[in-house]
Amino acid sequence: MARVSLALVPTAFVRKRGAWLRFRSGRILDVMTHTSVTAYAAPAPKAPLERTTIPRRELGAHDILIEIKYAGICHSDIHQVDNGWGEGIFPMVPGHEIAGVVAAVGSEVTRHQVGDRVGVGCMVDSCRECDNCKAGFEQHCTGTGPVMTYNATGRDGEPTYGGYSTHIVVTEDFAVRIPEGIALDVTAPLLCAGITVYSPLARWGAAPGKKVAVVGLGGLGHMAVQIARAKGAEVTVLSQSLRKKEDGLKLGASDYRATSDPATFEELANSFDLIINTVSADLDLGAYLGLLRTNGTLVQVGAPEQPLRTSPFALIQNNRAMAGSSIGGIPETQEMLDFCAAHGIGAQIEVIPAEEINDAYRRVQASDVRYRFVIDVSTM
Ligand SMILES: [Zn+2]
Ligand SMILES: [Zn+2]
């Protein structure tokens, strides 16, 4: 597919005989076939990603074509390329932190226009009819289940391919508007990392007068600190070491403690209203629950491979609660983007060209990133 540059925002697309004709001022600029676009894919489990072409579906009446500008690298991309959850669909094009510009719209699209800045996160569809979908919790769709952005099968029976790609076709309802005033590159990671922590912070009421602890200062944690602070809460980072203390304080934390120091758990006992655990490692959960004050809640968003274990007394004392949270629905994802734009919040990123994706994967696995890699899709 020909690249659609922002400087050449088209005035019209017309589909003819399996191709899109791009018009400007009534003249055909070029012909774009709908069948293949450039992407980076893992051909097999654990294989390095390589440049390839993938099919994108024909633009349906309610579909939009997005020219992807930036795609974030999420830790779960690596996990899925490694086939960590099994049953992966290969070749696999990861990427569920997508920021781009609408390049074409289907005949009945009303939510977006050509030239609009839009994002796509972890889901590209759902049944739309179940109670959860109707309530805006598409991530918990009980009908078909949510259709994940990649490594899934769409409702048309075709595999879904993610954002490490020049373009994506998605139903208009699963693209969110990116407000003006926030750059596309720092916005991309908000579509997964941002909403994953925004949702529990909103649901459990991070606000002035509340003390929130964020466990782990990585891709998720660095967003949680910024969002909790912007919501007015007093934020403490609990990290293995004090290595990133300066960053944590700059991002808005008022305290930063090392969890390798046992004194941390004594000094901060019974002090937090809410703890967001972003860590995927096996932690001594009971020790963290002990940091919650009466009626406090620990929300798990990291996903360790081992079952979570704790003494029931860690919960019984102080009426503590433990909960989980999975991304957010489309309405809340829009709310999160609007909130982040209004508060000038974006991800801290390192932009890389597409050819460095495999190096970036190695560095993510070595925790050598502050705090998110974002692929500049124009380098594809
Ligand atoms: Zn993710
Ligand atoms: Zn549903």
Side-chain angles (χ1 to χ4, degrees):
M1 178 181 285
R3 279 180 37 74
V4 183
S5 84
L6 193 54
L8 278 177
V9 171
T11 51
F13 276 81
V14 174
R15 252 191 74 73
K16 262 192 179 161
R17 294 194 192 91
W20 278 310
L21 303 183
R22 186 161 61 125
F23 283 87
R24 177 175 252 197
S25 309
R27 287 176 40 210
I28 296 176
L29 274 180
D30 55 18
V31 178
M32 296 160 47
T33 62
H34 71 280
T35 50
S36 63
V37 302
T38 301
Y40 269 70
K46 298 184 197 294
L49 277 73
E50 45 191 54
R51 194 170 184 272
T52 184
T53 55
I54 51 158
R56 290 295 190 195
R57 70 167 180 260
E58 198 175 305
L59 203 64
H62 290 283
D63 285 338
I64 62 173
L65 170 72
I66 300 171
E67 184 193 0
I68 299 174
K69 298 288 188 185
Y70 296 97
I73 293 179
C74 173
H75 205 290
S76 71
D77 295 346
I78 301 171
H79 198 66
Q80 296 197 66
V81 165
D82 285 348
N83 210 14
W85 289 312
E87 296 180 13
I89 301 170
F90 292 87
M92 185 186 294
V93 178
H96 57 206
E97 296 183 338
I98 299 168
V101 174
V102 177
V105 297
S107 57
E108 288 172 44
V109 167
T110 56
R111 294 168 69 108
H112 306 286
Q113 294 182 338
V114 171
D116 283 358
R117 293 153 26 108
V118 290
V120 175
C122 300
M123 305 176 283
V124 286
D125 210 344
S126 69
C127 87
R128 328 284 187 92
E129 286 164 2
C130 71
D131 289 349
N132 281 343
C133 280
K134 283 183 184 157
F137 302 117
E138 298 89 349
Q139 78 274 34
H140 303 304
C141 171
T142 55
T144 54
V147 177
M148 306 319 279
T149 302
Y150 68 90
N151 194 19
T153 302
R155 295 173 77 192
D156 58 1
E158 299 293 323
T160 58
Y161 297 112
Y164 299 5
S165 166
T166 57
H167 299 78
I168 189 169
V169 175
V170 64
T171 171
E172 60 172 327
D173 297 335
F174 279 70
V176 284
R177 185 176 37 79
I178 297 176
E180 291 304 321
I182 181 166
L184 291 180
D185 53 0
V186 301
T187 298
L190 302 183
L191 277 307
C192 171
I195 186 62
T196 296
V197 295
Y198 179 90
S199 185
L201 287 167
R203 174 155 180 220
W204 279 278
K210 299 284 183 178
K211 290 184 76 172
V212 173
V214 174
V215 184
L217 194 72
L220 293 171
H222 95 287
M223 289 310 310
V225 170
Q226 295 184 76
I227 293 168
R229 180 76 198 97
K231 282 186 169 292
E234 189 182 320
V235 186
T236 297
V237 175
L238 303 173
S239 184
Q240 253 182 326
S241 72
L242 298 178
R243 198 165 51 94
K244 300 179 192 164
K245 180 173 179 178
E246 206 176 307
D247 286 3
L249 298 180
K250 245 186 247 166
L251 290 165
S254 54
D255 199 1
Y256 196 110
R257 300 295 187 96
T259 54
S260 52
D261 180 357
T264 294
F265 292 91
E266 285 164 32
E267 290 168 20
L268 300 180
N270 305 315
S271 59
F272 297 107
D273 299 285
L274 177 63
I275 299 177
I276 306 287
N277 182 13
T278 72
V279 169
S280 296
D282 203 10
L283 297 181
D284 177 2
L285 218 47
Y288 288 85
L289 288 167
L291 303 181
L292 288 172
R293 59 164 59 144
T294 306
N295 296 321
T297 303
L298 184 151
V299 183
Q300 186 74 28
V301 293
E305 289 180 2
Q306 299 304 315
L308 301 172
R309 279 172 296 110
T310 180
S311 154
F313 291 104
L315 290 166
I316 290 169
Q317 285 168 6
N318 272 9
N319 286 3
R320 294 174 177 125
M322 203 174 151
S325 188
S326 170
I327 49 174
I330 298 299
E332 192 172 48
T333 303
Q334 185 65 63
E335 178 188 310
M336 176 275 305
L337 285 181
D338 294 345
F339 179 89
C340 287
H343 290 85
I345 294 173
Q348 304 278 310
I349 58 169
E350 190 173 325
V351 177
I352 58 159
E355 62 189 24
E356 288 176 17
I357 291 172
N358 294 306
D359 291 330
Y361 271 29
R362 279 187 283 277
R363 286 184 53 197
V364 170
Q365 281 168 318
S367 299
D368 176 24
V369 54
R370 292 192 184 187
Y371 284 87
R372 211 61 155 178
F373 285 113
V374 172
I375 303 162
D376 177 353
V377 173
S378 72
T379 61
M380 262 178 209

